[in-house]
Amino acid sequence: MSGSYISRKLSGLIVECDLLLQWKEKDLADIICDVGFSCMLCGRCCTTEFNGHVFLLDSDAKRIMDMDPSLLIPAPEFELADEMGNFYVSGYALRVLEDGSCIFLSKNRCQIYNERFAICRIYPYMLHREPDRRKNLEFRQISGLNEHGEYNCPVSDNDAHVFARETIAYEHAWLMQMIDFYTAAGELFEQKRTRHIRAVYDKRIQEFRKGTPVCVHVWYNGKFVPVTMRCEDYRGFGWP
């Protein structure tokens, strides 16, 4: 494995995956019922102001690829940079408008609601990771709360179990995509005899901000896809 940084990231993700598999659907369903979240149709969750970006699992990215590849963008906040200043990122995100709103949002309504993406389906039940008092990582229930919506509303047992099942499935799929990304990046860096260097990463980001185009290798469908990106491509994301 190339570099201690990649090894540490990979080890941490494997720990997260093991912890996730300990969650029981019923336990999460009980929490969902207790929270009683209800959407108020405010549309805030569909903006980068509240949620950064819509990270797409490969299965969702493929749907967009088949529909219109221009709607995809390498996910903001690239994970790695090699010694030559090339970036590597774990997947695609959905492009947004310049005001940061989702391209599928119109009058606070999702135009593809019945076919929305995996992360949108489980929102706001994403699982929160946090170290305990002994600095051991654990999941601390739900992370996407207290920003909007109503609470203590009735949620049926059936709906709660569906939400819990889809949340655990999404989190597992995301972790596996991340594990595959870091594994492949480590192997590629070893082959190229390069490594992730934070100083190179930071310098390249500064150049990127000033208008220099960069090469971003996007992990998609089991391989790295090189894409040339410019800072203006990320208008609406508040990044870099």
Side-chain angles (χ1 to χ4, degrees), residues 27-176:
D27 292 340
L28 184 54
D30 288 344
I31 293 169
I32 289 171
C33 283
D34 186 55
V35 169
F37 174 84
S38 179
C39 176
M40 296 174 63
L41 304 178
C42 67
R44 291 181 181 179
C45 62
C46 302
T47 67
T48 56
E49 178 184 1
F50 281 84
N51 284 313
H53 63 276
V54 176
F55 183 83
L56 299 171
L57 299 177
D58 276 359
S59 55
D60 287 326
K62 184 180 186 306
R63 290 169 52 201
I64 296 294
M65 195 76 71
D66 293 340
M67 182 192 308
D68 184 352
S70 70
L71 301 182
L72 292 173
I73 192 168
E77 302 177 26
F78 316 137
E79 281 94 352
L80 300 170
D82 63 23
E83 292 176 298
M84 299 297 294
N86 300 303
F87 289 112
Y88 297 79
V89 70
S90 55
Y92 286 105
L94 194 61
R95 282 188 184 271
V96 297
L97 302 177
E98 287 196 19
D99 65 359
S101 59
C102 177
I103 54 176
F104 292 113
L105 185 68
S106 177
K107 297 180 180 179
N108 283 347
R109 298 293 183 273
C110 177
Q111 301 304 296
I112 59 166
Y113 185 79
N114 291 330
E115 298 177 354
R116 63 197 186 281
F117 308 112
I119 185 62
C120 305
R121 289 184 176 277
I122 70 166
Y123 189 87
Y125 301 117
M126 303 86 68
L127 297 177
H128 175 61
R129 299 126 164 99
E130 184 179 318
D132 62 17
R133 288 180 298 178
R134 297 181 179 179
K135 298 186 178 180
N136 294 316
L137 186 70
E138 65 178 4
F139 283 97
R140 296 285 184 89
Q141 300 184 8
I142 298 167
S143 65
L145 302 178
N146 300 322
E147 293 184 342
H148 37 68
E150 295 180 323
Y151 298 89
N152 302 313
C153 300
V155 178
S156 72
D157 286 342
N158 182 68
D159 284 347
H161 276 270
V162 170
F163 295 150
R165 189 178 313 123
E166 290 185 346
T167 297
I168 293 171
Y170 171 83
E171 295 283 0
H172 185 258
W174 180 83
L175 283 166
M176 292 308 299

Side-chain angles (χ1 to χ4, degrees), residues 181-207:
F181 163 71
Y182 278 105
T183 299
E187 292 172 353
L188 181 64
F189 280 25
E190 273 194 357
Q191 292 171 8
K192 292 188 172 183
R193 297 188 178 182
T194 188
R195 59 195 177 97
H196 171 69
I197 301 177
R198 186 68 204 193
V200 173
Y201 182 102
D202 292 341
K203 181 176 183 293
R204 199 70 169 133
I205 286 292
Q206 290 176 3
E207 295 171 347

Side-chain angles (χ1 to χ4, degrees), residues 210-239:
K210 294 176 181 178
T212 302
V214 297
C215 181
V216 182
H217 295 265
V218 188
W219 180 246
Y220 172 67
N221 200 25
K223 62 182 180 180
F224 286 106
V225 180
V227 183
T228 299
M229 301 301 298
R230 292 170 174 79
C231 191
E232 55 264 32
D233 294 322
Y234 287 93
R235 287 175 184 162
F237 287 100
W239 184 91

